[in-house]
Amino acid sequence: MTQLTEISAVKSFDGWQKRFQHDSQVLHCKMQFSVYLPPQAEKDQPLPVLYWLSGLTCSDENFSAKAGAQRVAAELGIMLVIPDTSPRGEGVPDAEDGAYDLGLGAGFYVNATESPWQRHYQMYDYIAEELPALIEQQFNISKSAISGHSMGGHGALVLALRNPDRFTSVSAFAPIVNPVNCPWGQKAFSAYLGENKQQWQQYDACHLLANKRGDWQLPIKVDQGLADNFLESQRLTRPLEEICEKTGVKAEFGYHPGYDHSYYFIASFIEQHLRFHATYLKA
């Protein structure tokens, strides 16, 4: 049984915002993740869980500190699980030039196959297998949903599209939906996965959804700020909407004038996303 070490606990809306550390067998390093336990956790009843995947440069602490999700999570009785965005620690490789979009803080939720990344950068398996098993081992869990922002939105969509039986719903804020065709994705995938672009497609939400067609049933919600300076340059959100229109897949897309790529945008609409997920987590 994997041992969790609790490294912080702060009371919030009658629940607890906690941070844990453990030895990851998948990533070969110590990992930290954050959890919000709503007040309903004290009743020892099974809790629905929302996994939140953060974006480039973030750790497990950005969402818990900036999104303001605890109030609504407490009301709805939803547990929040917020993993880190990459492996970390001594011996974990980083970008040689210290770039923000590769290496530490930029795991892209893939299983790396190329040197020097492949030993530690197995973030897909960590999120899909190791972390959920650890959460289920330590807490009383019922259903799960998944959400994320930017690189984390990419991760959430890919995890849901590849594992639809594990989640009741998926949502994203300003997601990288077509990484094989945007600079962030091309740089990361070239480093982590090599030059075989067929390998890249298993981590591309547009490619995955194009093969699902109109029989896809998992509810999808995506919100995008129209003042986001990465909207066009990184091909955020819109290519996924186009795929949905072509294939007849039903999804909810919202575009918001004036909102950028920051946590101010996330904080403005996180309540809507939590209530969206609650509809299915409690069904």
Side-chain angles (χ1 to χ4, degrees), residues 23-79:
D23 291 315
S24 170
Q25 303 303 308
V26 169
L27 304 179
H28 300 285
C29 64
K30 289 188 180 296
M31 288 296 285
Q32 296 178 347
F33 64 91
S34 294
V35 168
Y36 178 68
L37 290 168
Q40 292 85 348
E42 296 183 358
K43 301 177 182 178
D44 196 32
Q45 62 188 41
L47 290 175
V49 179
L50 177 67
Y51 287 88
W52 172 271
L53 306 185
S54 296
L56 289 167
T57 77
C58 290
S59 73
D60 59 294
E61 293 187 290
N62 294 76
F63 179 80
S64 59
K66 296 180 178 181
Q70 290 88 348
R71 177 183 61 82
V72 181
E75 175 195 332
L76 298 173
I78 295 175
M79 178 179 169

Side-chain angles (χ1 to χ4, degrees), residues 98-149:
Y100 75 94
D101 52 358
L102 186 69
L104 300 185
F108 265 86
Y109 306 102
V110 303
N111 286 338
T113 58
E114 303 299 302
S115 178
W117 313 101
Q118 73 269 35
R119 174 170 169 79
H120 296 285
Y121 284 76
Q122 302 292 311
M123 285 298 294
Y124 180 87
D125 280 353
Y126 178 70
I127 302 298
E129 303 289 345
E130 187 177 29
L131 183 60
L134 182 58
I135 294 298
E136 291 168 14
Q137 169 189 304
Q138 300 287 340
F139 302 98
N140 191 2
I141 300 306
S142 58
K143 299 178 182 178
S144 300
I146 193 165
S147 185
H149 170 231

